């Protein structure tokens, strides 16, 4: 009787479900700390430029490791070891940030955490791609992102409770170890890899795996025009899309308490989680471009309003909720769209290259945003970023993308 109501969707394979659970528990740990870490750093004396630099360098490091981990994963035909290693590193070092204060100690731990993320992300997304079809690609990435983001919603809720009752950052960082360990345990149950090439007659090379930019250049040279157009546009937008910590710090500047900021961040993650899967289903039927254009408009609108002197906390919470719609598209739909234009045997490399370039752009964006904040003030900074996003919208409006499918 109950099986009729709780029947597992056909697209939801064992690995997709396990990877979603791994991401769910990892994001509980991450998001217990993410919204309070910039507030903690500011409290112990870090400038806006220093916070932006730490975030930017950390993400750029993650991007570089995503590129090389993706290339190694494709060469070795292995995914699980990269996923398990990457999640293990992050689970251990992320909470340790709360127990140090020196710039280089925090920098090293944030650097190590992003290395862990970089090692795991491209191989994980390659598994999601391999276990989906072009007709289910959007919903697979959307489902994974949705479950991931429910974890991201629970994390700040736990932070809210801990800070409300105990007012202790230390306890928060201690407890963040627990969901991270559960995530590692879930990753151990992934099915053994069965990676095949696009061409069944193609033999697997026995040569030693290499960390070489030449291999990436060769891939880029062979890649489709549509892949290059999308990659260029996503890189262009990443130069504008700085760290979300600036939104949190702007909310603090506008007079919100730490608990209200956590409430806003919970609302952001709730909308993000609820939107991800429906958007994935929508693009499988209607295509990607229109939804992506709408998401860029939402980004420009939210950043533009954050550039105004908002007084009411409920308006800021509403803006975080609307911003969740943008993130649901940016973090889930984008990779599904791009993966359609990458040959199967190069998927981890192609996705890794995208992540590296956008992470490098993120370094520029976050550092620039921190610099502009210190020199021009926060209001002008958000207004500049809002206007810049409109140029990205125009780029994607005018380019043509051949929506090819793959087996």
């Amino acid at each position: 009787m109950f099986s009729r109501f709780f029947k597992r969707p056909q697209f939801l394979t064992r690995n997709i479900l396990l990877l979603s659970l791994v991401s769910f528990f990892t994001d509980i740990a991450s998001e217990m700390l993410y919204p309070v870490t910039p507030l903690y750093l500011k409290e112990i004396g870090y400038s806006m430029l220093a916070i932006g630099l730490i975030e930017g360098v950390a993400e750029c490091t993650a991007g570089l490791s995503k590129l090389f981990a993706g290339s190694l994963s494709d060469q070795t035909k292995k995914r699980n070891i990269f996923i398990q290693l990457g999640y293990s590193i992050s689970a251990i070092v992320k909470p340790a940030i709360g127990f140090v204060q020196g710039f280089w100690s925090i920098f090293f731990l944030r650097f190590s955490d992003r290395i862990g993320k970089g090692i795991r992300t491209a191989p994980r997304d390659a598994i999601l791609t391999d276990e989906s079809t072009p007709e289910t690609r959007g919903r697979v990435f959307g489902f994974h992102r949705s479950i991931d983001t429910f974890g991201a919603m629970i994390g700040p809720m736990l932070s809210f409770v801990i800070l409300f009752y105990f007012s202790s950052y230390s306890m928060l960082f201690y407890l963040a170890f627990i969901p991270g360990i559960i995530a590692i345990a879930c990753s151990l149950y992934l099915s053994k890899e069965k990676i095949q090439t696009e061409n069944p007659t193609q033999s697997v090379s026995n040569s030693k795996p290499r960390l070489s930019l030449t291999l990436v250049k060769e891939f880029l040279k062979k890649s489709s025009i549509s892949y290059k157009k999308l990659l260029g546009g996503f890189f262009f937008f990443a130069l504008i899309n700085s760290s979300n910590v600036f939104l949190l710090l702007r909310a603090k500047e506008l007079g919100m308490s730490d608990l209200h900021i956590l409430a806003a961040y919970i609302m952001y993650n709730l909308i993000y989680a609820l939107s991800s899967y429906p958007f994935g289903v929508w693009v499988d039927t209607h295509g990607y471009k229109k939804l992506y254009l709408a998401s860029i408009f939402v980004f420009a609108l939210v950043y533009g309003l954050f550039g105004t002197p908002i007084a009411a906390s409920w308006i800021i919470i509403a803006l975080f909720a609307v911003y969740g719609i943008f993130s649901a598209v940016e973090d889930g739909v984008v990779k599904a769209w791009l993966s359609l234009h990458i040959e199967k045997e190069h998927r981890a490399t192609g996705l890794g290259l995208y992540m590296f370039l956008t992470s490098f752009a993120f370094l520029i964006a976050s550092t620039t945003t921190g610099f502009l904040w210190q020199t021009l003030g926060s209001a002008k900074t958000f207004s500049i970023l809002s206007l810049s996003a409109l140029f990205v919208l125009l780029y994607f409006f005018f380019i043509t993308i051949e929506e090819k499918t793959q087996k």
Side-chain angles (χ1 to χ4, degrees):
M1 176 181 175
F2 289 105
S3 61
R4 186 172 62 180
F5 296 100
F6 297 99
K7 186 177 180 182
R8 188 173 71 179
Q10 289 186 347
F11 73 85
L12 191 57
T13 66
R14 170 193 171 95
N15 277 348
I16 292 171
L17 183 58
L18 278 171
L19 287 173
S20 299
L21 288 174
V22 171
S23 294
F24 171 78
F25 286 109
T26 298
D27 258 35
I28 290 178
S30 297
E31 300 300 328
M32 283 176 70
L33 307 178
Y34 183 82
V36 301
T37 298
L39 305 178
Y40 167 73
L41 293 178
K42 192 174 181 184
E43 186 178 286
I44 62 176
Y46 281 70
S47 69
M48 297 304 303
L49 183 57
I51 293 172
L53 185 61
I54 289 172
E55 287 296 307
V57 171
E59 286 300 326
C60 187
T61 301
L64 186 60
S65 55
K66 286 172 190 175
L67 175 61
F68 286 124
S71 178
L72 283 176
S73 177
D74 283 337
Q75 291 177 69
T76 60
K77 309 303 176 190
K78 294 188 180 298
R79 310 289 195 213
N80 294 357
I81 185 63
F82 294 96
I83 292 168
Q84 291 156 359
L85 177 62
Y87 279 108
S88 297
I89 292 172
S90 292
I92 293 168
V93 304
K94 188 187 293 288
I97 292 174
F99 305 103
V100 297
Q101 292 192 3
F103 177 85
W104 290 110
S105 298
I106 290 175
F107 184 88
F108 173 76
L109 291 172
R110 192 78 176 101
F111 176 90
S112 300
D113 170 46
R114 296 296 86 181
I115 285 283
K117 181 174 182 179
I119 290 171
R120 72 188 185 238
T121 303
R124 182 202 66 198
D125 289 344
I127 289 180
L128 294 176
T129 301
D130 291 340
E131 302 217 356
S132 63
T133 66
E135 294 74 28
T136 63
R137 189 69 46 79
R139 68 192 68 195
V140 165
F141 274 86
F143 176 84
H144 172 266
R145 182 50 51 187
S146 181
I147 299 301
D148 177 295
T149 310
F150 274 117
M153 181 182 68
I154 292 172
M157 289 174 69
L158 292 174
S159 297
F160 186 97
V161 172
I162 292 167
L163 290 178
F164 183 80
Y165 284 104
F166 301 102
S167 301
S168 171
Y169 279 120
S170 296
M171 181 175 289
L172 194 61
F173 283 95
Y174 273 123
L175 293 176
F177 280 108
I178 297 173
I181 299 303
I182 297 174
I184 296 170
C186 289
S187 72
L188 299 177
Y189 291 93
L190 289 168
S191 302
K192 191 174 181 180
E193 299 94 334
K194 293 181 180 178
I195 305 175
Q196 299 176 346
T197 62
E198 199 81 22
N199 182 356
T201 63
Q202 183 178 341
S203 60
V204 178
S205 172
N206 293 320
S207 60
K208 225 176 180 182
R210 293 178 295 145
L211 286 173
S212 173
L213 287 175
T214 303
L215 296 175
V216 178
K217 289 179 183 177
E218 290 173 0
F219 158 75
L220 191 57
K221 191 174 181 180
K222 296 176 187 174
S223 60
S224 68
I225 294 297
S226 292
Y227 173 83
K228 292 171 184 172
K229 285 181 181 179
L230 289 172
L231 188 66
F234 296 150
F235 177 75
F236 181 21
F237 179 64
L239 290 170
I240 300 163
N241 187 17
S242 60
S243 174
N244 288 346
V245 302
F246 291 109
L247 291 171
L248 299 170
L249 291 168
R250 174 62 172 160
K252 180 75 172 177
E253 186 182 62
L254 289 167
M256 289 186 77
S257 68
D258 289 0
L259 290 179
H260 279 139
I261 290 172
L262 279 172
Y265 198 66
I266 290 167
M267 182 60 68
Y268 157 76
N269 279 312
L270 174 64
I271 300 302
Y272 185 171
L274 293 175
S275 302
S276 294
Y277 180 68
F279 285 159
V281 174
W282 195 90
V283 295
D284 283 338
T285 306
H286 302 287
Y288 292 81
K289 185 172 178 177
K290 289 181 181 178
L291 184 62
Y292 188 70
L293 287 171
S295 75
I296 298 300
F297 177 77
V298 167
F299 176 92
L301 176 65
V302 169
Y303 266 64
L305 290 173
F306 262 102
T308 64
I310 307 167
S313 293
W314 71 267
I315 297 178
I316 297 175
I317 293 174
L319 286 177
F320 270 96
V322 173
Y323 191 68
I325 295 172
F326 157 76
S327 292
V329 177
E330 181 65 21
D331 287 348
V333 170
V334 162
K335 284 186 278 190
W337 190 10
L338 193 65
S339 71
L340 290 173
H341 302 278
I342 309 171
E343 291 183 354
K344 189 170 186 178
E345 61 265 34
H346 299 301
R347 279 176 182 159
T349 303
L351 290 168
L353 178 59
Y354 153 74
M355 295 170 199
F356 165 67
L357 289 176
T358 53
S359 296
F360 177 71
F362 182 89
L363 165 62
I364 298 172
S366 293
T367 306
T368 302
T369 300
F371 174 75
L372 290 174
W373 187 310
Q374 285 196 186
T375 54
L376 300 178
S378 57
K380 288 182 180 178
T381 298
F382 277 95
S383 298
I384 290 170
L385 295 174
S386 175
L387 290 172
S388 300
L390 297 178
F391 289 99
V392 180
L393 192 149
L394 289 174
Y395 170 83
F396 277 99
F397 181 81
F398 285 109
I399 63 169
T400 55
I401 301 295
E402 179 189 352
E403 296 296 352
K404 74 173 190 176
T405 59
Q406 302 169 1
K407 294 183 180 179

